[in-house]
Amino acid sequence: MISAWLTQHGFVFLHTLKRLIASPVTSLLSISVMGIALSLPTGVYVLMQNIQNLSGQAGHAPQMSLFLRKDTQSADVQQVEQRLDRDVRILGHQFVSKETALQQLQQRSGFSNVASSLERNPLPDAFILHLQNEGAESMRQLQTELQSWPEIEYVQFDSVWIERLDAFLKLGRFAVLLLATILSIAIIAIMFNTIRLQILTKRDEIEISKLIGATDSFIRRPFLYFGAIQGLAGGAAAWVIIAYALSAVNLELVELSNLYDIQLQMQLLTLEDGVSLLIFSTSLGWLGARLSVANHLWQIEPQ
Amino acid sequence: MITFKNVSKRYPDGYMALNNIDLEVAAGEMVFLTGHSGAGKSTLLKLIAAIERPTSGMIAINEQNIAQLKLSALPYLRRKIGFIFQDHKLLFDRNVYENVLLPLQISHFDNKMIASRVRAALDKVGLLKKEKAMPIALSGGERQRLCIARAVVHRPSILIADEPTGNLDVEYARDIMAMFTSFNQVGVTVLIATHDASLLEDTQHRILSLKQGKLAA
């Protein structure tokens, strides 16, 4: 029974492929329409990924400066250090004692006179924290948390650029989502109509199958396969379009990289994202077909 | 096997096709249904396969009441029946073999048995050498036989034929009747609707006569 079921699905799959190949122009046209529609949101998504990567590459791992109270003892400093060690959000930290800070100040041109004229060291002990970039929100939260520790006088954190990048990426993601939603609906509508036309041309076959005992799922199956296979092909087309577009951009970037002496290369779609794209497009095709079948099949009852 | 009790069928346009029919066909019986066109022969056959539903009355197949059968149960009823349609209802985009294959695919037959089943059915109707031909290339008699092969390939217990000798010459018609007799001899219940009086001349089987939707005695 299971082998009969598998044979049945295999047969329908091959039959559907044959049908797609039998009308190559129509199939290619609808596959490219789907591919182009899908490549728009996917393209914006890849762009966002690249901007995010670029911001990480530029060495902008966010930093935070902790200034301790003047009256802290070395035991307090150790305690603070231990607590910083335990926090997973902090990738690393660096202790700058008040003596070191003063030395650094003296070494800077223009400040040496000022520093040596001081009677006593006015600088506090400090920590420089290297953080994981998890967005401005969580960093501000960390800042407030650290501010509440008794040993700490002041936490300095310049969050403006992170917030800007954050806002920009957020906007980008919203655009991806918006584009994806609109174009998904378009793809479902296209598939809905394609399947509707197919059902009309296969009216006889459907009617005869019903007359000799076909269940609804048997009749639905070839149309669902058709939708899913076209969806899959559309997703693959989008992947190819994006790969070609990015390699073209990369060719242009080589020149720019040479002029500025930096590595500028667009990353292609990762395997994981590509597979997600295929699964998504397959589901869209299937869904369009399913809706269409549900809408049109019941109208065909043998007389 | 097949029981009708007070069955009437009125079409939506008000036409009364069948009027208060009582009928009993035993398992393994072969029965002819005769009458002028419009007498209700086709309607009666369609009621058995639940292609049409009765307006009132009770229809039972194997003691199962099919008048109230749910839509989802219809396919399983139809798989017990081999139906030879008046207008053949062949698929013209598939060859002879694939047309006969369809009922087996529909009822999920095992792959190993499929090919031999199809060829056995084609052999019975004498179309084995034409399995790759398209229906359009077949003569009227061959199409009729293809239709019969498709109706018997899944070995139904009931065989229903609506005007199976419709436009055929006498010789062909006799061949086809002989096929039905041989199916009946292996235990299949056979119901044949025909207006062709010459077929009924020397038959020993029961003949039911329909007149304006009523069974004549």
Side-chain angles (χ1 to χ4, degrees), chain A residues 52-65 89-92 128-135 139 157-159 161-162 165:
Chain A
Q52 210 163 10
N53 284 349
L54 219 59
S55 74
Q57 249 174 38
H60 281 306
Q63 284 187 357
M64 208 179 262
S65 306
R89 289 168 296 183
I90 300 162
L91 292 177
I128 296 168
L129 309 183
H130 303 280
L131 304 175
Q132 204 149 13
N133 192 352
E134 280 171 342
M139 275 178 224
F157 174 54
D158 180 13
S159 64
W161 75 268
I162 289 185
L165 182 69

Side-chain angles (χ1 to χ4, degrees), chain A residues 4-300:
Chain A
W5 187 84
L6 278 177
T7 319
Q8 180 59 41
H9 276 259
F11 178 86
V12 174
F13 181 77
L14 288 177
H15 200 78
T16 311
L17 273 187
K18 270 190 213 156
R19 255 166 58 206
L20 275 167
I21 295 164
S23 51
V25 178
T26 320
S27 304
L28 278 180
L29 273 178
S30 41
I31 288 168
S32 9
V33 167
M34 285 187 78
I36 291 165
L38 282 166
S39 66
L40 271 167
T42 317
V44 178
Y45 171 81
V46 172
L47 211 64
M48 300 312 301
Q49 290 297 99
N50 273 295
I51 289 170
Q52 210 163 10
N53 284 349
L54 219 59
S55 74
Q57 249 174 38
H60 281 306
Q63 284 187 357
M64 208 179 262
S65 306
L66 296 188
F67 298 103
L68 305 186
R69 280 181 198 284
K70 285 276 184 55
D71 51 6
T72 45
Q73 305 301 307
S74 59
D76 296 329
V77 173
Q78 264 170 25
Q79 234 181 8
V80 171
E81 195 162 7
Q82 277 167 11
R83 265 188 282 168
L84 292 176
D85 273 335
R86 279 198 293 270
D87 200 314
V88 287
R89 289 168 296 183
I90 300 162
L91 292 177
H93 55 76
Q94 187 189 344
F95 179 63
V96 183
S97 69
K98 44 192 166 202
E99 291 80 13
T100 321
L102 189 63
Q103 270 173 23
Q104 280 173 354
L105 187 65
Q106 280 170 347
Q107 278 160 9
R108 276 194 212 172
S109 56
F111 281 104
S112 55
N113 289 337
V114 183
S116 52
S117 68
L118 293 169
E119 281 175 27
R120 56 191 180 81
N121 187 354
L123 300 172
D125 287 329
F127 279 97
I128 296 168
L129 309 183
H130 303 280
L131 304 175
Q132 204 149 13
N133 192 352
E134 280 171 342
E137 188 67 32
S138 67
M139 275 178 224
R140 261 197 305 273
Q141 199 189 336
L142 179 66
Q143 185 184 14
T144 354
E145 235 178 275
L146 294 173
Q147 190 76 68
S148 67
W149 293 5
E151 299 87 348
I152 288 169
E153 175 78 43
Y154 181 64
V155 181
Q156 193 187 52
F157 174 54
D158 180 13
S159 64
V160 176
W161 75 268
I162 289 185
E163 272 173 54
R164 280 182 190 154
L165 182 69
D166 242 35
F168 181 72
L169 288 174
K170 210 164 137 186
L171 188 71
R173 274 188 217 109
F174 181 69
V176 170
L177 202 70
L178 205 66
L179 267 178
T181 311
I182 291 170
L183 291 166
S184 298
I185 292 171
I187 286 170
I188 290 174
I190 291 169
M191 194 48 75
F192 187 90
N193 207 38
T194 310
I195 297 294
R196 186 182 70 88
L197 291 174
Q198 283 201 0
I199 289 174
L200 286 180
T201 59
K202 294 205 162 275
R203 213 193 159 86
D204 287 347
E205 188 179 327
I206 293 167
E207 201 185 306
I208 292 168
S209 301
K210 278 192 175 183
L211 280 175
I212 56 184
T215 54
D216 282 348
S217 67
F218 178 90
I219 291 167
R220 268 201 300 265
R221 202 169 294 139
F223 298 107
L224 299 184
Y225 266 95
F226 188 91
I229 290 174
Q230 272 221 332
L232 181 69
W239 198 346
V240 171
I241 289 171
I242 286 178
Y244 268 101
L246 286 182
S247 355
V249 169
N250 276 340
L251 276 180
E252 298 295 315
L253 280 179
V254 168
E255 208 171 323
L256 206 66
S257 304
N258 290 338
L259 285 175
Y260 283 84
D261 199 25
I262 41 166
Q263 262 322 106
L264 264 180
Q265 281 284 289
M266 296 283 271
Q267 297 291 315
L268 300 181
L269 208 57
T270 61
L271 184 67
E272 205 175 55
D273 286 339
V275 171
S276 309
L277 170 67
L278 293 184
I279 293 173
F280 182 65
S281 65
T282 308
S283 324
L284 279 185
W286 183 89
L287 184 65
R290 185 73 178 80
L291 290 175
S292 188
V293 163
N295 249 283
H296 300 112
L297 223 48
W298 65 270
Q299 297 171 0
I300 302 175

